Amino acid sequence: DDSECDDGASSPADPRDELAPPMFSLTKKSLLFDESSTNPNASDASADAILLTDLGKEAGSLTLAVWSGAKAVLPPLLTGAGTTDAGDKDALGSLYNLLFVRLPTFCVGVGYVVNLTQGHPLMMDPFGTGAFEVSPIIVFAALWAILRY
């Protein structure tokens, strides 16, 4: 009889049919960004549900306290926080953005303005064909594009 397997038990046509295909996209509900997509029976995890342990609560409140202090002391140009509760849901990400994106960009901008006022404009030679002066409008537009959010 060809309808049965060698061990006498019948099996599904393809064992892969039982597996759910992974969600792969660049949206929030994807395998890359959403923790609940790996477990279909899990409910949507919120930031509060992640911080269930005492260690997690301490780490979360410490990060939020540092972020709140940074918002209170630094201007919105550096923090990117236009409102009082901006960035509170993802305080660690906001601190990362402050320390590794916004602060270095601001410092480079200050250095550029100092050099520009001293008569040393930004010079580039990207293709090896000779240096040229980059217009301050282009430099300020790039700085604005980075710091606007």
Side-chain angles (χ1 to χ4, degrees):
D1 193 337
D2 292 334
S3 65
E4 294 184 13
C5 295
D6 292 343
D7 59 358
S10 63
S11 64
D14 189 3
R16 293 176 289 179
D17 291 340
E18 295 176 7
L19 300 174
M23 291 175 40
F24 184 78
S25 68
L26 296 179
T27 62
K28 185 160 177 68
K29 293 285 185 183
S30 71
L31 183 62
L32 295 176
F33 303 110
D34 188 20
E35 293 178 10
S36 65
S37 66
T38 58
N39 186 359
N41 296 330
S43 61
D44 289 339
S46 65
D48 296 334
I50 294 171
L51 301 174
L52 292 177
T53 65
D54 291 337
L55 178 63
K57 287 181 182 177
E58 292 170 8
S61 61
L62 175 66
T63 313
L64 183 58
V66 171
W67 170 242
S68 297
K71 284 192 307 184
V73 174
L74 298 173
L77 178 68
L78 286 179
T79 61
T83 61
T84 57
D85 63 342
D88 289 348
K89 291 183 181 179
D90 185 20
L92 185 62
S94 299
L95 283 172
Y96 178 87
N97 185 29
L98 169 69
L99 293 174
F100 297 110
V101 177
R102 300 185 74 82
L103 192 61
T105 303
F106 180 78
C107 291
V108 165
V110 169
Y112 172 74
V113 169
V114 168
N115 282 336
L116 189 63
T117 57
Q118 293 176 354
H120 305 289
L122 177 62
M123 302 294 290
M124 289 184 59
D125 186 10
F127 306 110
T129 57
F132 65 93
E133 179 180 340
V134 178
S135 170
I137 295 172
I138 294 173
V139 175
F140 287 125
L143 290 173
W144 175 81
I146 296 169
L147 295 175
R148 68 182 165 166
Y149 295 112

